Amino acid sequence: MQRRLFSILIVCFVIVTISPVHAQTGKVQYARDILPILSTHCFTCHGPDAKLQKAGLRLDVAETAFKTLKSGNRAVVPGKVKESELLARVHSTEDSERMPPASTKKSLTVTEKQLLKRWIEEGAEYQRHWAFVKPIRFSVPAVKSKEWNRGPIDAFLLDRLQKEGLKPSAEADRFTLARRLAIDLTGLPPTIEMVDRFSNDKRDDAYERYVDDLMKLPAFGERWAQVWLDLARYADSNGYATDSARTIWKYRDWTIGAFNRNLPYDRFTIEQMAGDMLPGATQDQILATAFHRNTLTNDEGGTSDEEFRVAAVVDRVNTTMQVWMGITMACAQCHDHKYDPISQEEYFRMFAILNQSEDSDKSDNSPTTLIITAEDQAKKTVLGGVIAKLEGQLLTADAKLDESQATWEKDKAATDKAPPAIKKILALDPKKRNPAQKVEVTKHYRSTLPEFKPVASQLASSKKEYDAVKGVATPIMKELAVGKQRVTKIHVRGNFLDQSKVVPAGVPTLFHALPKDQTPNRLALANWLVSPDNPLTARVAVNRFWDQIFGLGLVESPDDFGIRGKVSTHPELLDWLSVEFSTTMKWDVQQLLKAIVTSSAYRQSSMVTPALMERDPDNRYLARGPRYRSSAETIRDQSLYTAGLLSPKMYGAPVRPPRPKLGLTSAFGGSTDWETSSGDDKFRRALYTQWRRTTPYPSMTTFDAPARTVCTISRPRTNTPLQALVTLNDPVYVEAAQALGRRMVKDGGATLEAKLTFGFRLCLSRPPRDMELKRLTELFTKAQEQYGKNPKLAQQMATDPIGPLPAGMQAIDMAAWTVVGNVLLNLDETLAKR
């Protein structure tokens, strides 16, 4: 047997020696070159999961990979290729010996085998996975192009471009940049006035000024809150089969406000994780903890509250690690992680931290806190003062009135007309009434007297107005009292009914420890997440913002920075930017975004040449500007915005824009249809749309918006015929086309050409080219001719669903303008960021 293995090794050694090497030059690195091979092909059976380490072999740790196994072999012997059983197995041609086993239908490529051989030859040095090591502030590369290099971001990118033999694209024109920036920073296109002001601004810092102006707009917070709400799995319903309504929109509003006031990302983190545990916690900080109350609640009769309470805690563990650290912890709920060195026991140590909140899957979503806005609180304070003043007038000392009141109290016919609460007091012996009861009787009696009627009327009105200003009961996190906290045990195979040993609260030993001077609770966990020792939080945040701007992250697996995740395309830039964000910028989100969007890389034209498409189709190296389809919310919002329909109203309860009525009911008999909101609420930003998990808004899910039953790190970007059917035929988009047509006629100028140019600029920001204007003119003329032959159809096209035509507008003309508006709103350039 050993002789046969030795022969195989010799043959393999010869093959490897004479085969061309395609790996990167220089010393083979475990983290960069070897770990991806082992994690893909070997860790399922020889990884961190102790229960699945076949033959007692674990390959992700040097000590176990080097040790002598029961068979007498050693998988890896540093510097000794012939003695390393790993190489023999991956080169074996016999099914009983080859690794990976034939049953997996996996095999290593020639290049991968060569890398393993070189690695062992060079000493088989192990290194920690790059993402588990604190980021380093790499030196900024010295690149020659002074014109293109506007700062460190450009220097890192240009250095990589030059190594790849690529050159940057030319800068995009001002019209393109004006629209690109507005879409990226606010989720809305710029107005024509904004574009003209920016385009004509000759100052050296015109670009930076435009960026600053966009970030000051309230729409900035709405755009970036939309991204965060996917992570927070925000919805206006409880989920599961009944999916009943949940009132948690105050958290959505908190998120918008946090971005608009540029709350530093570390505080943004701490307040959402443990705002209620901060010393002197404010209403806003307590409200922030609703982040983790977005978990599902099952209020179906007969379900186990404890089962679904545990499910919520599990979700919080998984979401916390995914959102802030890009780590997939979920599989460690049932067993040791198969790839990342995280044990099931460590999973439940973290579970123990989040296992101490009061919520327990109750249908009322308790605990809640009554949230009242500063404006409403100010209103209540004013009204309270008015009420106190009026009551003071009713209670002015007056002996004659006291005597008449005493007489009134003895008159049964008079007191029988009193409200029940007053009757109850009157039934008591006057000597046994407390001061408050005496005041209530006096106020009521005097309010019945003619001379006090005006005061009483004003008092009743003020009280009614005061009572109408109500807070909103919002689910929040609240810790169990000391002495009532839960004991956490490991759930065998993830089953909450089958529990084994008790575990203390903690975090995976793979990372830094919790602060020693703090109780291991949510606040300690929050501080741990934003600690300078945390290797992932800044990287994950920077990568997320980069992904939103460029359409592809520096790490292409934003949901997985673990061993199975993608290696960064620009590791030095990612590390430099992460350190810059957390230290120099002090977690300033707007400063980070400004650094990204003011780079030359961002300003490039997005035109794709055949050479670039062949060399870098996904634009990983950024030799051109970003170009990709906008999000579901942006596509809807910009249609309403350019049409002049979008309401600027912010905050408040969710709204219900038009949606097809299907006549369907849920599993428990309730209709899934809704009545469309009235007035401006019909045209609010998509962010405010009521989000029911079982039936999310259809047109947005068609454009890849999630149901938000779980945390969504990144949305897919699909391209289906259904999407075109939505933007061409959905009543929301038809109404937008009608309104855009009316806007072109009303505000576009005197001539057909002026009107078409105006509409074109509303949608695309730039002036139309001659050929484009010619085609639009032909479109309008042809549509006008066709509708002239069918006045009934023209009337429908011009008014359904928007309503009657304004005075002076003709149905045939407006039907044609609707067609033009519909085409403009459906252009690829409208639907995509370019």
Side-chain angles (χ1 to χ4, degrees):
M1 174 68 178
Q2 288 185 348
R3 181 178 297 175
R4 181 160 48 83
L5 283 176
F6 180 77
S7 299
I8 292 171
L9 272 173
I10 292 295
V11 172
C12 292
F13 178 79
V14 172
I15 293 173
V16 170
T17 302
I18 63 174
S19 296
V21 176
H22 300 289
Q24 297 184 46
T25 57
K27 187 174 181 180
V28 176
Q29 296 181 18
Y30 172 79
R32 182 191 68 194
D33 305 316
I34 303 302
L35 187 53
I37 299 172
L38 298 181
S39 65
T40 300
H41 299 286
C42 308
F43 283 0
T44 301
C45 299
H46 304 292
D49 189 347
K51 296 178 181 177
L52 292 176
Q53 289 168 3
K54 295 184 178 181
L57 174 61
R58 178 177 178 179
L59 284 172
D60 66 316
V61 179
E63 305 87 84
T64 52
F66 294 167
K67 74 176 184 180
T68 302
L69 303 173
K70 290 181 180 179
S71 63
N73 296 315
R74 295 169 68 189
V76 177
V77 182
K80 298 182 179 180
V81 172
K82 296 179 182 179
E83 297 178 24
S84 297
E85 184 71 8
L86 172 65
L87 283 180
R89 292 304 184 102
V90 298
H91 284 96
S92 177
T93 56
E94 296 187 22
D95 286 350
S96 60
E97 296 174 353
R98 184 174 70 82
M99 292 295 166
S103 59
T104 67
K105 298 182 179 179
K106 293 182 179 180
S107 61
L108 276 67
T109 65
V110 171
T111 300
E112 288 172 332
K113 293 174 184 178
Q114 292 171 347
L115 282 169
L116 286 174
K117 177 202 174 261
R118 282 182 52 199
W119 174 61
I120 292 173
E121 279 181 330
E122 293 170 0
E125 180 183 344
Y126 271 79
Q127 302 154 335
R128 294 189 72 190
H129 177 52
W130 67 270
F132 301 157
V133 180
K134 284 176 58 176
I136 300 169
R137 191 185 186 88
F138 284 94
S139 298
V140 178
V143 289
K144 295 180 180 180
S145 176
K146 293 183 179 179
E147 293 181 1
W148 197 81
N149 181 14
R150 284 188 165 94
I153 290 176
D154 290 329
F156 280 108
L157 292 174
L158 185 57
D159 183 60
R160 182 61 189 271
L161 283 172
Q162 291 172 346
K163 289 176 180 176
E164 296 293 332
L166 295 170
K167 293 181 179 180
S169 297
E171 184 168 307
D173 60 68
R174 283 280 181 104
F175 297 116
T176 298
L177 292 175
R179 187 174 192 277
R180 182 187 296 176
L181 283 165
I183 293 290
D184 274 337
L185 296 178
T186 71
L188 296 172
T191 64
I192 292 177
E193 293 73 23
M194 290 168 65
V195 175
D196 287 343
R197 188 165 55 249
F198 172 56
S199 298
N200 296 322
D201 192 341
K202 305 304 180 183
R203 289 173 293 186
D204 291 340
D205 62 347
Y207 188 96
E208 289 73 15
R209 286 172 180 267
Y210 181 63
V211 170
D212 290 339
D213 288 344
L214 289 170
M215 287 185 174
K216 291 173 186 174
L217 295 174
F220 174 85
E222 292 174 315
R223 182 267 190 265
W224 290 99
Q226 186 67 60
V227 176
W228 190 259
L229 294 182
D230 276 3
L231 306 174
R233 65 275 198 237
Y234 169 84
D236 300 300
S237 65
N238 286 326
Y240 295 115
T242 53
D243 202 26
S244 52
R246 171 184 291 170
T247 303
I248 198 168
W249 53 266
K250 283 286 186 181
Y251 167 74
R252 176 247 287 148
D253 290 355
W254 177 89
T255 307
I256 297 168
F259 278 106
N260 272 337
R261 67 178 185 272
N262 200 22
L263 183 67
Y265 191 75
D266 57 343
R267 296 301 303 175
F268 183 73
T269 298
I270 291 169
E271 291 184 13
Q272 290 184 88
M273 286 296 300
D276 59 311
M277 304 178 79
L278 293 170
T282 64
Q283 175 183 268
D284 254 19
Q285 290 170 333
I286 294 170
L287 170 59
T289 66
F291 172 87
H292 267 323
R293 292 305 312 281
N294 282 308
T295 46
L296 278 62
T297 299
N298 195 341
D299 48 14
E300 180 185 350
T303 56
S304 165
D305 285 346
E306 179 61 9
E307 176 183 359
F308 291 99
R309 184 197 72 80
V310 168
V313 178
V314 165
D315 177 82
R316 287 167 191 160
V317 173
N318 300 342
T319 297
T320 298
M321 291 300 278
Q322 276 252 283
V323 169
W324 277 281
M325 298 186 69
I327 293 295
T328 56
M329 282 274 281
C331 62
Q333 177 195 353
C334 300
H335 50 74
D336 293 348
H337 203 293
K338 292 186 180 297
Y339 303 104
D340 299 325
I342 300 172
S343 68
Q344 187 185 22
E345 179 173 334
E346 289 174 325
Y347 181 96
F348 280 97
R349 286 182 180 176
M350 192 161 175
F351 181 99
I353 296 175
L354 295 165
N355 195 30
Q356 306 306 334
S357 56
E358 282 189 9
D359 61 284
S360 53
D361 197 59
K362 294 296 187 288
S363 58
D364 63 358
N365 281 304
S366 57
T368 61
T369 188
L370 203 62
I371 302 295
I372 184 168
T373 65
E375 293 80 5
D376 284 345
Q377 186 59 59
K379 187 176 182 180
K380 285 182 81 79
T381 300
V382 171
L383 288 169
V386 171
I387 291 168
K389 183 179 179 180
L390 293 170
E391 288 182 337
Q393 294 176 23
L394 278 179
L395 297 171
T396 301
D398 190 314
K400 289 184 179 181
L401 287 176
D402 291 343
E403 288 177 13
S404 65
Q405 179 181 330
T407 302
W408 172 78
E409 288 187 29
K410 295 174 183 177
D411 187 344
K412 188 175 185 303
T415 57
D416 277 351
K417 299 177 182 179
I422 299 299
K423 284 183 180 179
K424 190 174 181 180
I425 299 173
L426 291 172
L428 298 173
D429 185 331
K431 295 180 181 179
K432 293 184 178 180
R433 296 174 193 166
N434 62 38
Q437 290 171 329
K438 293 176 182 178
V439 166
E440 288 304 310
V441 173
T442 299
K443 284 195 297 185
H444 171 71
Y445 168 69
R446 294 189 179 186
S447 69
T448 64
L449 301 177
E451 61 266 37
F452 285 104
K453 282 291 184 183
V455 174
S457 176
Q458 189 178 354
L459 179 61
S461 175
S462 296
K463 282 186 173 180
K464 185 178 181 181
E465 192 175 355
Y466 182 91
D467 292 340
V469 183
K470 296 179 179 178
V472 179
T474 302
I476 45 94
M477 294 290 280
K478 186 177 181 182
E479 289 291 273
L480 290 167
V482 176
K484 294 186 178 181
Q485 296 204 328
R486 302 181 182 93
V487 173
T488 298
K489 298 180 180 180
I490 294 175
H491 299 177
V492 178
R493 298 189 65 80
N495 183 355
F496 82 106
L497 294 175
D498 186 3
Q499 301 185 13
S500 58
K501 71 174 185 177
V502 174
V503 294
V507 291
T509 55
L510 167 65
F511 303 111
H512 56 295
L514 286 170
K516 293 181 180 179
D517 58 344
Q518 297 180 29
T519 304
N521 54 26
R522 277 189 290 117
L523 183 55
L525 178 61
N527 289 324
W528 179 83
L529 287 171
V530 295
S531 163
D533 293 323
N534 193 305
L536 281 165
T537 298
R539 278 184 175 129
V540 170
V542 164
N543 192 64
R544 181 176 299 125
F545 287 113
W546 189 278
D547 178 76
Q548 284 293 315
I549 297 298
F550 284 106
L552 199 67
L554 295 168
V555 175
E556 293 178 40
S557 54
D559 58 337
D560 191 0
F561 275 61
I563 287 171
R564 290 302 304 275
K566 300 282 189 180
V567 176
S568 174
T569 53
H570 299 79
E572 293 84 4
L573 171 57
L574 177 63
D575 272 20
W576 183 90
L577 207 49
S578 300
V579 175
E580 183 77 1
F581 179 48
S582 60
T583 56
T584 308
M585 295 181 181
K586 300 186 185 304
W587 302 97
D588 187 320
V589 169
Q590 291 191 6
Q591 193 176 350
L592 172 66
L593 285 170
K594 185 173 182 179
I596 294 173
V597 301
T598 56
S599 66
S600 290
Y602 177 81
R603 303 187 203 193
Q604 294 177 98
S605 166
S606 62
M607 292 293 292
V608 186
T609 64
L612 269 181
M613 180 56 71
E614 182 178 355
R615 182 70 180 80
D616 185 15
D618 295 320
N619 200 25
R620 288 185 173 91
Y621 303 122
L622 294 172
R624 52 187 167 90
R627 181 176 184 137
Y628 52 90
R629 195 200 68 210
S630 295
S631 69
E633 292 82 359
T634 296
I635 289 173
R636 177 185 177 275
D637 289 349
Q638 73 175 3
S639 294
L640 296 178
Y641 185 71
T642 55
L645 294 175
L646 189 67
S647 168
K649 181 180 176 183
M650 295 181 68
Y651 307 127
V655 296
R656 298 177 299 279
R659 190 179 77 172
K661 289 190 176 183
L662 302 176
L664 301 177
T665 56
S666 66
F668 294 88
S671 173
T672 60
D673 291 332
W674 67 31
E675 290 299 320
T676 300
S677 296
S678 59
D680 283 355
D681 282 349
K682 177 183 176 182
F683 303 113
R684 299 282 303 280
R685 286 195 74 164
L687 173 77
Y688 301 108
T689 298
Q690 181 176 303
W691 206 263
R692 191 177 180 189
R693 287 175 161 124
T694 54
T695 52
Y697 194 62
S699 73
M700 285 196 278
T701 57
T702 302
F703 281 94
D704 308 316
R708 294 207 181 124
T709 53
V710 294
C711 165
T712 301
I713 298 297
S714 61
R715 297 182 183 184
R717 196 176 294 124
T718 63
N719 185 9
T720 73
L722 286 176
Q723 293 163 355
L725 291 174
V726 166
T727 53
L728 286 168
N729 301 297
D730 186 297
V732 170
Y733 291 93
V734 173
E735 186 168 7
Q738 291 167 334
L740 178 58
R742 295 182 183 190
R743 190 178 181 189
M744 284 187 277
V745 170
K746 180 176 179 290
D747 303 324
T751 66
L752 174 61
E753 181 178 310
K755 290 177 172 61
L756 291 171
T757 299
F758 178 69
F760 192 95
R761 292 201 64 194
L762 285 174
C763 294
L764 302 182
S765 300
R766 65 176 177 84
R769 302 180 184 94
D770 291 343
M771 180 56 72
E772 292 166 331
L773 193 57
K774 179 184 176 184
R775 288 176 177 173
L776 287 173
T777 302
E778 291 171 351
L779 172 67
F780 174 79
T781 304
K782 186 174 181 179
Q784 190 181 43
E785 179 184 339
Q786 292 295 323
Y787 282 114
K789 300 174 183 177
N790 193 335
K792 185 177 179 180
L793 185 61
Q795 183 70 24
Q796 182 183 14
M797 188 63 170
T799 61
D800 184 14
I802 195 170
L805 287 166
M809 290 188 182
Q810 303 301 314
I812 292 172
D813 292 341
M814 295 317 301
W817 280 112
T818 297
V819 171
V820 172
N822 190 279
V823 167
L824 289 174
L825 292 176
N826 277 275
L827 293 174
D828 175 69
E829 194 174 335
T830 304
L831 302 177
K833 185 190 81 169
R834 55 178 286 276

